[in-house]
Amino acid sequence: MTTRGPGEPEIVVVGGIHGDETGGVRAVRRLREADLDLKRGVAFVVANPAAVNVGERYLDSDLNRAFPGNPAGDREERLAAHLRKLVQDRTTLSLHGTHSQPTPFALIHRSQPRQFDLAARMPVPHVVDHWGVNEGAITSCGLSVEIEVGPQGTEEAAVAAEHQADAFLKLVDALPGEPPTADPDFFHMADPIRKPSGISYEVHVTNFESVPAGTTYASVDGQGLITDDPFHPILMSADGYSDIFGYKGAKIADSLERVREILLN
Ligand SMILES: [Zn+2]
């Protein structure tokens, strides 16, 4: 961890929760070496340096399923316990990479409702509440937002990660200047879409775009898969995961005001 700016850190920027997602790691390393005019203390963190060094998602278990962590657990459970202490009373940006398009988008958890307000101000087209699936992420602790920046390991992802970090630091008043305008829509991520066994996979739908019931959404070895239910695909890709295509999502609303009304009722 490297702290920059005046006083104790109040803000945290994290890369490398997953060691094979290098865009966020490069952004964190560039930002902590940069000559930034910081108005608040910022901790720049590479979360799992041992996994980053070997280019693996994790060593013992998935760090972003290990929160709130366990000081007596495996390597990632211990790291999660340590990170939770850092982020639980601070405002945090966590940078991830992905295999799917389009990116970037934000991920939050509705157990921390202030995350909706934070994510709504990030320069992303979509905010995804992942409550109920993929529990144990950093978003279960404190005021944090995760951004999926783009294809893993590309320069494009590193540039996007830096752009997102710059916007985040402006909107929490850690950097001078106005953040870019933002007007995302909001989704809830639900069931994973299982991959039948096969050799070649194709996806025929676009992430975040409505898929009506009866659509052939993917193929396995040329055999089409048809959905009985309408959904919005999230993190969907042919070869990003070994066991799933991605997730079925549902649109919550087009605006933060409408999200608040829905969640209050
Ligand atoms: Zn990740």
Side-chain angles (χ1 to χ4, degrees):
M1 185 178 90
T2 306
T3 301
R4 294 276 182 264
E8 285 293 304
E10 299 171 312
I11 309 296
V12 185
V13 177
V14 182
I17 286 262
H18 292 134
D20 58 346
E21 297 171 4
T22 53
V25 175
R26 284 162 69 178
V28 163
R29 286 178 175 157
R30 282 181 198 173
L31 287 166
R32 70 186 178 194
E33 301 310 324
D35 183 20
L36 302 175
D37 183 19
L38 289 170
K39 307 299 183 193
R40 303 177 73 186
V42 180
F44 291 101
V45 180
V46 175
N48 195 347
V52 170
N53 286 344
V54 294
E56 298 287 344
R57 186 173 173 86
Y58 54 81
L59 296 181
D60 292 339
S61 63
D62 190 333
L63 176 55
N64 220 27
R65 305 286 180 270
F67 286 88
N70 175 1
D74 70 19
R75 182 188 162 74
E76 275 81 10
E77 288 165 346
R78 294 196 306 273
L79 269 177
H82 179 73
L83 276 169
R84 177 177 51 81
K85 281 191 196 146
L86 179 68
V87 305
Q88 66 187 359
D89 297 318
R90 297 184 168 91
T91 306
T92 301
L93 171 69
S94 175
L95 296 160
H96 287 259
T98 169
H99 291 284
S100 69
Q101 296 286 356
T103 49
F105 66 91
L107 279 162
I108 58 161
H109 195 283
R110 74 172 67 183
S111 64
Q112 309 284 339
R114 293 181 304 156
Q115 292 179 4
F116 279 104
D117 302 79
L118 179 63
R121 297 173 64 203
M122 292 295 291
V124 293
H126 311 295
V127 174
V128 175
D129 168 19
H130 67 87
W131 167 80
V133 287
N134 298 346
E135 293 295 322
I138 196 170
T139 46
S140 59
C141 316
L143 177 53
S144 60
V145 59
E146 297 192 278
I147 304 287
E148 298 280 354
V149 292
Q152 292 181 12
T154 61
E155 175 62 20
E156 180 193 342
V159 170
E162 249 181 288
H163 172 68
Q164 292 293 329
D166 181 74
F168 171 76
L169 291 172
K170 283 174 178 158
L171 77 85
V172 297
D173 299 320
L175 277 179
E178 287 298 312
T181 53
D183 182 25
D185 45 21
F186 297 82
F187 292 84
H188 177 231
M189 188 161 114
D191 298 334
I193 305 171
R194 301 277 164 214
K195 254 181 172 176
S197 57
I199 295 163
S200 73
Y201 297 95
E202 276 182 278
V203 166
H204 308 303
V205 294
T206 304
N207 281 309
F208 297 106
E209 290 187 8
S210 169
V211 175
T215 302
T216 304
Y217 61 92
S219 312
V220 183
D221 299 336
Q223 192 76 36
L225 300 171
I226 297 169
T227 180
D228 295 333
D229 312 306
F231 69 99
H232 288 78
I234 295 175
L235 283 168
M236 192 121 167
S237 66
D239 299 303
Y241 305 95
S242 59
D243 55 340
I244 62 171
F245 283 111
Y247 296 86
K248 285 191 175 179
K251 194 163 191 175
I252 305 173
D254 281 319
S255 70
L256 182 61
E257 290 66 34
R258 190 77 190 106
V259 169
R260 286 206 190 99
E261 286 171 20
I262 291 166
L263 293 184
L264 285 173
N265 289 326

